[in-house]
Amino acid sequence: MNKLYIGNVSAEAREEDFETIFEQWKIPFSGPFLVKTGYAFVDCPDEKAAMKAIDVLSGKVELHGKVIEVEHSVPKRQRSCKLQIRNIPPHMQWEVLDGMLAQYGAVESCEQVNTDTETAVVNVRYGAKDQARLAMEKLNGSMMENYALKVSYIPDESAAPEGAPLGGRRGFSSRGLPRSSSPGLGARPKVQSDIPLRMLVPTQFVGAIIGKEGATIRNITKQTHSKIDIHRKENAGAAEKPITIHSTPEGCSSACTTILEIMQKEALDTKFTEEIPLKILAHNNFVGRLIGKEGRNLKKIEQDTCTKITISPLQDLTLYNPERTITVKGTIEACAKAEEEVMKKIRESYDSDMAAMNLQSNLIPGLNLNALGLFPSGAPGMSPTMSSVPPPGAHGGCSSFGGQPESETVHLFIPALAVGAIIGKQGQHIKQLSHFAGASIKIAPAEGMDAKQRMVIIVGPPEAQFKAQCRIFGKLKEENFFGPKEEVKLEAHIKVPSFAAGRVIGKGGKTVNDLQNLTCAEVVVPRDQTPDETDQVIVKISGHFFACQLAQRKIQEILAQVRRQQQPKPTSGAPPPLPRRK
């Protein structure tokens, strides 16, 4: 991708003119300039030189009365799904960029390009040619924070030659997995794939980290290829401020080390005598796996890095602050090593959870992943277009699953040993969970001394069920009741009217079989059960979280259809209702 196209070229331009310009701007080129009428081509030795030519010359240098345009030379057959977007505002958050790109289609990958410019550059691959073309038409020249975006095609080596069959199923290309890096570059991360590093720093050091007119923080972002957000306005008057670093794992670690060094220097200059530990913020859902069984993971990190690590207690958590503080004490070098190991564990947990969610998320139309409450706001994977979680208990309007929400009762069976974790100290966790989800959550008494399972009774509308059950699944994973590579699979029971059980089963079991194929859950309607006093029977659903949720929703749809059919139809001769007196 190192061949350049030079456009808007004057008819008077000669090869020597271009050589003079490139030498004047110290841009290396590896071959002669091929000058045609109105345009020219040249090869650069590497991607860095090509990017420098585009950034320095395009739209800025005049030759014989015409301002030349410089961009990657892309053969027509390779103008497919890959775009390069340049001149992105330097402090733009990745979440905003992801949301902007997603407006025009499915983004398969988004990779930052290493350049010497203050503004950012990314290579984007869309899922289809028409999506990439629409993005180029809409974004090229558009203004963002006083920066005019520049968008151009870059070669898509995986694009099928014209007339060649695409292969595979309709709607799927044969190119396999999205590329993780662009040609000529070292591997770059997918912007949205890495969980950010979140730190807490003493408020008195924030000024030193930012530097005069932002010079220090700009230098850190440039050297480490990171996006760094210092949340100065959060928690006014607090002794500490959070910092979020978006980058590769290596970039995050490099930025973290630099920030620690800046704080250490500022402490010496201001005669600050207290120890300055590294404080990492991590979502509570990941902390259990970081600690490991009997604390083994954490002890190993301490031993390997010669540090002392403590984690803030569960009691410090609130509904609106699900993060715990991991405090690391030691030398800067030791803390830096510990950060790498801690974040490695957290990223592994994050990737595992995201893979489990993505497995079935496409099966629930309009699913709002924010409702899960698994990840802090602004974490990767959370699209800015997604609506925010409603405040606890705010379920008075229409449910996110459609229609006026009706209360449902679900019996969820958990390991008996996990009851203490769900209830929490003095019942604190189950109270918080109930308030957060907007549902009633109770643990039924054990059916015997040797009972291996306990029943959790959850009562609430669909969204409350979704949030409550998700947190319970997550809690069991976090507390290591299931292995690190083992999926959390639970059994849920819902009651249906006995006359509707046949509709759930379907003729010859067709409906229940289709339900199992669609949801990947095991759905059983025991035939030999006797209806209870309310003439209801139990439907058993087993599977991972998304499978259980989808099966519950589909069964509730069947029941709603049965109820509609049971409603008496108005008689044709009945007089219209009288208007209400005002």
Side-chain angles (χ1 to χ4, degrees), residues 187-206:
R188 299 296 301 168
K190 291 179 184 177
V191 170
Q192 64 270 40
S193 65
D194 288 323
I195 191 166
L197 169 63
R198 302 242 312 147
M199 301 172 59
L200 269 183
V201 301
T203 302
Q204 66 260 44
F205 297 137
V206 168

Side-chain angles (χ1 to χ4, degrees), residues 212-352:
K212 189 175 181 181
E213 297 179 351
T216 304
I217 196 71
R218 275 199 303 273
N219 191 39
I220 299 172
T221 59
K222 188 174 180 179
Q223 288 181 349
T224 63
H225 309 296
S226 306
K227 294 293 179 184
I228 303 178
D229 297 320
I230 300 179
H231 308 281
R232 285 177 291 174
K233 295 182 181 179
E234 286 188 18
N235 304 326
E240 295 172 312
K241 297 291 183 183
I243 293 178
T244 304
I245 304 170
H246 299 267
S247 186
T248 60
E250 296 79 13
C252 287
S253 297
S254 179
C256 172
T257 303
T258 304
I259 289 171
L260 288 174
E261 289 170 349
I262 290 170
M263 290 196 295
Q264 192 71 48
K265 182 178 183 302
E266 182 69 10
L268 290 172
D269 292 345
T270 58
K271 295 182 173 57
F272 184 83
T273 55
E274 294 178 24
E275 184 180 5
I276 308 170
L278 166 63
K279 291 190 176 183
I280 300 171
L281 294 173
H283 195 281
N284 184 50
N285 255 51
F286 306 138
V287 171
R289 282 166 280 180
L290 168 66
I291 296 171
K293 196 170 184 179
E294 298 175 354
R296 289 173 192 164
N297 291 346
L298 207 59
K299 287 175 186 174
K300 187 175 187 308
I301 294 173
E302 286 182 317
Q303 291 168 0
D304 292 348
T305 61
C306 299
T307 56
K308 175 65 178 172
I309 304 175
T310 55
I311 299 177
S312 61
L314 279 166
Q315 287 81 353
D316 291 352
L317 295 177
T318 68
L319 291 170
Y320 305 103
N321 177 29
E323 291 178 305
R324 292 172 74 177
T325 304
I326 302 163
T327 303
V328 184
K329 293 185 177 181
T331 64
I332 289 179
E333 293 77 14
C335 287
K337 288 180 183 177
E339 179 273 330
E340 291 178 13
E341 295 301 317
V342 167
M343 289 305 297
K344 181 181 177 183
K345 285 288 182 188
I346 289 172
R347 289 185 184 103
E348 287 173 356
S349 302
Y350 172 84
D351 290 340
S352 172

